[in-house]
Amino acid sequence: MELFAELDIDNFNEEAILESITEAFSKPKVYISFKYTKKRKVIFYHLQVKVAKTTKDLLQGTAVKDSDGSQTFFIGEFSKNTEIEIKFGIIGFTTVPKAVALIAQTNPEIGYQVDPKTPGETKSIDRDEKWEGKFKYKVQ
Amino acid sequence: MKTQKTILLAILFAIFISESFAQVPLDNIFNSIVGPNSEPIVYNTINMNSFDLISSNIQFSEKNNSQKLVVLPFKLFNDQPNGLIRNLKLNIAQKNGISTFGIGIGLDNSSPFSKRGDDIFNKVDIVSKRVQSEDESDLEYQQYEASYGLYLDKEVANYYENLLKNSFQLTFGFNISYFSIIGGDKVDLDGNGLIDNEKSIESFNYSLGASYTLNSSAGISASLHIVDKLGSAEEGQERVPYLGGSFTFAKRILVLDSNYKTSKDYFKSLFVPSIIFGFTFEYQEAQKNFDFAKDGIIRQSVYTPFLDFKINPKNQFRLGIPIQKLTSQNRDLQSLGPFIQWGFSIANKGK
């Protein structure tokens, strides 16, 4: 997040500083979370976000290993009504009986399940099985 | 007729197990050493060295047909309990009319849920899948995705290879064996003045087993046994305490498919189509009450060279030729009795 991006260094006062912060903090932030059976071992090997024609690699070359049962990634900060496309990839190093992907944003606070799409439904991942997903999201 | 009936039951049992777990992959990692068949003759029914969710073996030979099943019930739970509880085992076996029930606890540091499993996992270093670059065609990116998928498969297989390498397993087991008749009217069918079915418990068995896996192609196993056994259910029998143990060595000697490292079975379970050569030595000696020893035998040594044929995860069997030396109070006997052993195991609940 870039703070004071709109602040004019040649002409500002206290009010301008506060306005700039309000502007920065009111921008919606988007997150993707994965919840899965604790102690099961998974690797998040792919996470990308596409905005307009630009695609960004959110893992930046290094896959993330985890076995805590929960992992959250910051997707980015976007203007309202921006359409983004998220792609993810997870591989089970052990079998994972239950897993689910959720999306969340701030300003306003929104959160719901994106994969599997039916709320409350979970997905299992076999050992050495790759779970890949893709969905579009319009920032509120 | 009896043999045919046993075989039929064995096949029905196998079909039942296969159908019940049809959705479960056969994660048969390495059962030649750490499996329930590492002591094929003297201690076969009481051996609980398996760390699979379910492992069974059915053995056919001229004199001894046996069926056994070892279950680790906590492997069915999604939330894996820690340490000893996770590896709590139950044993059910049958051999020549003697039914055996056992309970055991074990430690297995080749488990991905052990602390060692966590440590090895934390050292895994994987490059993430990159995004498609602007100057890359869809076909080129698909080719990259395919090779990246193979890279991931190999990383998973490497993780399990590293888990197996220099790992050990410990098992403490207690088994109780019953004669075929455990209740009802007391009878003296042979008219010798002694009740034939006076006793119901044939033996109490205590065992401590340890296995060391060098890598996915070789391992050794050793165990100690204390057995308190009756020679028969007849009135007037006294228990005979036995001390014994075993040692097993096995090594893969032939790979049947040289491309196994790209096969689905290998990635899923490290299964290697192969032939394994092994050797087991089992020993048992009575400590006192020699007059009551079963069939008068006070010392038993069994040398069993064997070959494991691992064709595919669902089709594995063992051929063994045990050479037995039996010592009674007044004579020695040597015997030879080939057997075939059919095994089936599921390492974990699939999903």
Side-chain angles (χ1 to χ4, degrees), chain A residues 37 39-43 45-46 48 55-57 59 61-63 65-66 91 93-95 97 124 126-130 132, chain B residues 25 77-78 80 82 112-113 117-118 121-122 124 126-129 131 148-149 152-153 156 159-160 267-269 349-351:
Chain A
T37 312
K39 294 185 186 174
R40 304 303 169 125
K41 293 178 168 54
V42 294
I43 299 269
Y45 64 84
H46 187 51
Q48 71 171 53
T55 305
K56 187 179 176 188
D57 179 3
L59 297 180
T62 306
K65 47 187 179 272
D66 195 61
I91 186 168
F93 262 53
T94 60
T95 56
S124 60
D126 204 352
R127 171 175 153 188
D128 194 39
E129 181 185 344
K130 297 163 196 83
E132 298 198 336
Chain B
F77 289 77
N78 289 341
Q80 291 281 294
N82 289 323
F113 301 109
D118 290 341
F121 182 67
N122 288 334
V124 170
I126 292 180
V127 175
S128 66
K129 186 167 109 178
V131 300
Y148 181 81
L152 283 180
D153 293 337
V156 176
Y159 171 66
Y160 283 90
F267 291 141
K268 284 279 178 195
S269 63
K349 192 174 78 152
K351 290 182 177 180

Side-chain angles (χ1 to χ4, degrees), chain A residues 15-30:
Chain A
E15 194 180 339
I17 292 170
L18 282 172
E19 264 179 31
S20 183
I21 287 177
T22 308
E23 174 73 19
F25 286 167
S26 66
K27 244 183 174 180
K29 297 178 188 65
V30 178

Side-chain angles (χ1 to χ4, degrees), chain B residues 31-94:
Chain B
N31 74 358
S32 288
I33 299 300
V34 194
N37 50 6
S38 60
E39 296 171 303
I41 302 297
V42 182
Y43 303 112
N44 187 32
T45 55
I46 58 172
N47 178 303
M48 283 197 278
N49 282 354
S50 167
F51 282 82
D52 295 334
L53 166 63
I54 289 177
S55 54
S56 69
N57 76 61
I58 298 163
Q59 182 170 307
F60 306 106
S61 64
E62 187 192 355
K63 292 175 185 170
N64 294 311
N65 292 328
S66 66
Q67 302 88 43
K68 73 173 293 188
L69 185 72
V70 179
V71 181
L72 276 71
F74 284 101
K75 286 206 165 186
L76 284 168
F77 289 77
N78 289 341
D79 293 326
Q80 291 281 294
N82 289 323
L84 295 173
I85 299 293
R86 181 174 61 237
N87 292 317
L88 183 92
K89 325 168 178 203
L90 303 174
N91 176 42
I92 304 169
Q94 193 284 130

Side-chain angles (χ1 to χ4, degrees), chain B residues 7-295:
Chain B
I7 292 170
L8 182 65
L9 279 172
I11 292 168
L12 287 173
F13 174 74
I15 292 169
F16 167 73
I17 290 284
S18 301
E19 291 302 316
S20 301
F21 292 88
Q23 78 284 15
V24 177
L26 301 172
D27 290 353
N28 193 338
I29 295 177
F30 189 71
N31 74 358
S32 288
I33 299 300
V34 194
N37 50 6
S38 60
E39 296 171 303
I41 302 297
V42 182
Y43 303 112
N44 187 32
T45 55
I46 58 172
N47 178 303
M48 283 197 278
N49 282 354
S50 167
F51 282 82
D52 295 334
L53 166 63
I54 289 177
S55 54
S56 69
N57 76 61
I58 298 163
Q59 182 170 307
F60 306 106
S61 64
E62 187 192 355
K63 292 175 185 170
N64 294 311
N65 292 328
S66 66
Q67 302 88 43
K68 73 173 293 188
L69 185 72
V70 179
V71 181
L72 276 71
F74 284 101
K75 286 206 165 186
L76 284 168
F77 289 77
N78 289 341
D79 293 326
Q80 291 281 294
N82 289 323
L84 295 173
I85 299 293
R86 181 174 61 237
N87 292 317
L88 183 92
K89 325 168 178 203
L90 303 174
N91 176 42
I92 304 169
Q94 193 284 130
K95 182 179 180 181
N96 298 342
I98 304 291
S99 301
T100 299
F101 304 93
I103 185 164
I105 50 173
L107 283 174
D108 173 17
N109 77 350
S110 71
S111 164
F113 301 109
S114 66
K115 187 180 176 307
R116 181 170 171 267
D118 290 341
D119 292 343
I120 293 174
F121 182 67
N122 288 334
K123 287 177 188 161
V124 170
D125 190 12
I126 292 180
V127 175
S128 66
K129 186 167 109 178
R130 66 169 172 78
V131 300
Q132 185 174 2
S133 58
E134 285 177 10
D135 57 351
E136 190 175 28
S137 71
D138 287 348
L139 182 63
E140 284 171 328
Y141 189 64
Q142 281 166 12
Q143 286 171 341
Y144 160 73
E145 283 185 308
S147 67
Y148 181 81
L150 195 60
Y151 158 73
L152 283 180
D153 293 337
K154 285 178 179 172
E155 287 294 327
V156 176
N158 281 342
Y159 171 66
Y160 283 90
E161 289 275 9
N162 288 331
L163 277 177
L164 278 179
K165 215 174 277 178
N166 298 316
S167 64
F168 68 86
Q169 293 80 27
L170 280 175
T171 297
F172 173 74
F174 170 72
N175 282 274
I176 186 165
S177 300
Y178 289 89
F179 289 110
S180 54
I181 298 169
I182 57 169
D185 296 333
K186 303 288 185 191
V187 294
D188 175 20
L189 292 176
D190 54 7
N192 65 352
L194 297 169
I195 301 291
D196 296 337
N197 55 341
E198 176 67 20
K199 315 277 187 183
S200 58
I201 296 176
E202 190 247 8
S203 62
F204 299 100
N205 312 276
Y206 306 87
S207 62
L208 180 64
S211 300
Y212 175 68
T213 306
L214 280 77
N215 51 46
S216 63
S217 71
I220 54 174
S221 168
S223 67
L224 288 170
H225 292 272
I226 298 171
V227 182
D228 202 25
K229 190 188 261 185
L230 282 176
S232 79
E234 198 176 60
E235 184 183 1
Q237 290 285 317
E238 288 185 25
R239 294 200 169 275
V240 182
Y242 292 87
L243 266 182
S246 74
F247 176 80
T248 300
F249 164 80
K251 172 94 178 84
R252 186 163 66 214
I253 54 170
L254 186 65
V255 173
L256 300 174
D257 177 8
S258 57
N259 296 320
Y260 74 89
K261 282 206 167 180
T262 54
S263 74
K264 194 178 169 191
D265 289 336
Y266 178 74
F267 291 141
K268 284 279 178 195
S269 63
L270 292 195
F271 181 84
V272 181
S274 58
I275 296 175
I276 289 171
F277 169 76
F279 177 86
T280 296
F281 170 67
E282 295 168 273
Y283 181 78
Q284 179 171 260
E285 184 170 359
Q287 302 299 299
K288 62 178 185 179
N289 296 340
F290 300 145
D291 292 340
F292 296 98
K294 188 168 186 177
D295 300 326

Side-chain angles (χ1 to χ4, degrees), chain A residues 13 37 42-43 53 60 67 98 103-104 125 127 139:
Chain A
N13 55 22
T37 312
V42 294
I43 299 269
K53 287 186 177 176
Q60 297 181 321
S67 59
K98 289 180 178 179
I103 194 158
I125 311 171
R127 171 175 153 188
V139 180

